Amino acid sequence: MKKCIIIYNKSSGKQLKYNLEESFTKKLLSKGYEPTFIYTEYYKHALEIIKNIPDDTDLVISVGGDGTFNEIVTGNLKRNHQLLLAHIPLGTTNDIGTMWGYGKNILNNLELLLDGEVKEMDIGCINEGYFVYVAGIGKFLDVPYITPKELKKKVGHFAYIIEGIKSFFHKTSLYDLTYKIGEDTYRGNYSFVIISNANRIAGINNFYKDIKLDDGKLEILFCSITKKIDLIKSLLILAAGDVTKVPGIYIHKTNEITIHFKKTPKKKWCVDGEQLDSNKKVYNIKIISNVKILMPKKNINNLFNIHMPVPNIML
């Protein structure tokens, strides 16, 4: 019997109406996995849990929001022996899970996962931290981590819209910064910055076209828009799914970028929906490649360049 540990964040998303542990156990046993459930109790607890999991564990499944999965990926990358990870979304927006092809039924998602494939994907590294799909700073980018959890539990994704509307009417600050990509250096004043490895961000599908999670590249977006009317126009274009057509937005594709702020930003970076702990003037952001993740087969052909499954005797 293979060993599977489920790290479960009960505070993510809305309360389930059934016993997840009982339902998951039955399905996992039928697939040859002996499950052990560990429940997170506080912020960053999942990161601590993953660091102390035995090396002979065959699979670790994150059940929670994007932030919970970020903690597990971060802790795993800091281990001497990295474990095979998987994720089942149970958050408010669930950008990662939706991008990978999961639906809203948790038990169906477990079935999709256990019948899935192991893929090697890129993970973003920002100074000493990591992000699975997105990191950003500036206008609107603090909404995911300032939105009250109680409000998210009551109204779901609409809670972010409420906070986003509030943020819209606040003064738009500009960051005077310099960034370097390869041998090229740029300088400007920007209202927000988004660095990602994803085709779904903030609930917007096809944010970018033809994104690959294993191409060794990050998509970098700098926005110089400040006027409210221009922000409204840009959001409408973004909702239509073509960020490249938004005036005042500058896009790069690279495996590494260094961003130097003239002044230390008052706001903190948002990484996978959570607040980055550090607050500095200089950020070096790069790709960590070949991180093994078990995921559903549904969207693999669209998200990866290499379609052959990664050999893994654990499966």
Side-chain angles (χ1 to χ4, degrees):
M1 192 70 81
K2 293 170 285 189
K3 296 180 181 179
C4 176
I5 291 180
I6 298 92
I7 301 176
Y8 180 19
N9 182 358
K10 282 188 172 182
S11 65
S12 292
K14 294 184 178 180
Q15 191 71 31
L16 294 179
K17 297 180 180 179
Y18 57 88
N19 188 310
L20 181 140
E21 183 172 333
E22 182 180 315
S23 301
F24 268 40
T25 296
K26 183 177 180 180
K27 176 59 65 177
L28 286 162
L29 287 173
S30 73
K31 295 288 186 176
Y33 287 97
E34 181 180 358
T36 299
F37 290 80
I38 304 177
Y39 298 89
T40 62
E41 298 176 2
Y42 47 84
Y43 179 60
K44 297 291 186 183
H45 190 195
L47 192 152
E48 296 176 14
I49 293 170
I50 188 73
K51 287 181 180 179
N52 296 306
I53 286 177
D55 289 346
D56 63 349
T57 302
D58 299 298
L59 177 64
V60 178
I61 302 176
S62 157
V63 179
D66 295 337
T68 303
F69 189 52
N70 175 284
E71 289 184 35
I72 290 171
V73 169
T74 297
N76 197 44
L77 287 170
K78 294 181 179 181
R79 289 174 56 98
N80 292 326
H81 174 78
Q82 291 184 22
L83 303 169
L84 177 62
L85 304 183
H87 176 58
I88 292 183
L90 194 64
T92 305
T93 303
N94 298 320
D95 282 325
I96 296 172
T98 303
M99 176 172 60
W100 290 357
Y102 284 122
K104 294 183 178 181
N105 187 297
I106 307 300
L107 298 180
N108 287 348
N109 287 342
L110 178 60
E111 184 82 27
L112 289 172
L113 172 66
L114 296 176
D115 291 335
E117 291 182 8
V118 177
K119 299 301 293 183
E120 292 182 341
M121 64 176 285
D122 301 327
I123 298 294
C125 177
I126 175 167
N127 286 0
E128 66 277 4
Y130 299 93
F131 58 96
V132 178
Y133 79 108
V134 67
I137 188 171
K139 187 74 171 180
F140 302 119
L141 273 300
D142 59 344
V143 167
Y145 64 74
I146 66 172
T147 301
K149 289 186 177 181
E150 295 76 14
L151 186 61
K152 288 190 285 185
K153 284 187 175 294
K154 287 181 180 179
V155 298
H157 183 72
F158 188 65
Y160 293 128
I161 296 175
I162 294 171
E163 290 299 324
I165 292 171
K166 291 179 183 177
S167 178
F168 176 79
F169 289 103
H170 294 164
K171 181 182 177 181
T172 300
S173 301
L174 288 174
Y175 297 100
D176 184 351
L177 59 84
T178 301
Y179 63 95
K180 184 176 182 181
I181 299 175
E183 298 300 318
D184 298 321
T185 300
Y186 308 82
R187 182 173 181 179
N189 294 292
Y190 304 97
S191 51
F192 64 82
V193 181
I194 300 176
I195 300 172
S196 62
N197 183 40
N199 66 0
R200 176 185 163 96
I201 300 172
I204 301 174
N205 290 314
N206 299 314
F207 193 93
Y208 293 107
K209 305 294 184 183
D210 194 29
I211 294 301
K212 302 301 179 185
L213 305 185
D214 62 345
D215 63 355
K217 301 291 184 181
L218 293 165
E219 283 66 46
I220 318 288
L221 182 156
F222 289 88
C223 177
S224 61
I225 301 170
T226 58
K227 294 181 179 178
K228 288 183 173 59
I229 186 63
D230 292 333
L231 282 170
I232 292 173
K233 290 179 181 177
S234 67
L235 290 172
L236 289 173
I237 298 172
L238 281 173
D242 196 350
V243 69
T244 62
K245 293 183 178 180
V246 180
I249 282 183
Y250 308 90
I251 297 173
H252 305 271
K253 197 176 183 73
T254 182
N255 63 343
E256 187 170 4
I257 181 173
T258 299
I259 302 175
H260 192 147
F261 293 86
K262 186 175 181 180
K263 296 180 180 179
T264 304
K266 293 181 179 179
K267 291 184 179 181
K268 291 188 176 182
W269 284 77
C270 179
V271 291
D272 294 341
E274 299 292 341
Q275 179 177 281
L276 185 67
D277 291 336
S278 65
N279 200 18
K280 301 178 179 179
K281 282 186 178 181
V282 180
Y283 291 87
N284 180 251
I285 301 151
K286 59 185 179 181
I287 279 285
I288 304 293
S289 296
N290 305 320
V291 177
K292 290 185 179 181
I293 306 290
L294 175 63
M295 62 179 62
K297 296 178 182 178
K298 183 177 179 180
N299 290 341
I300 280 177
N301 287 345
N302 295 326
L303 295 174
F304 291 87
N305 284 314
I306 302 171
H307 303 319
M308 293 296 291
V310 176
N312 193 303
I313 60 172
M314 299 301 183
L315 294 178

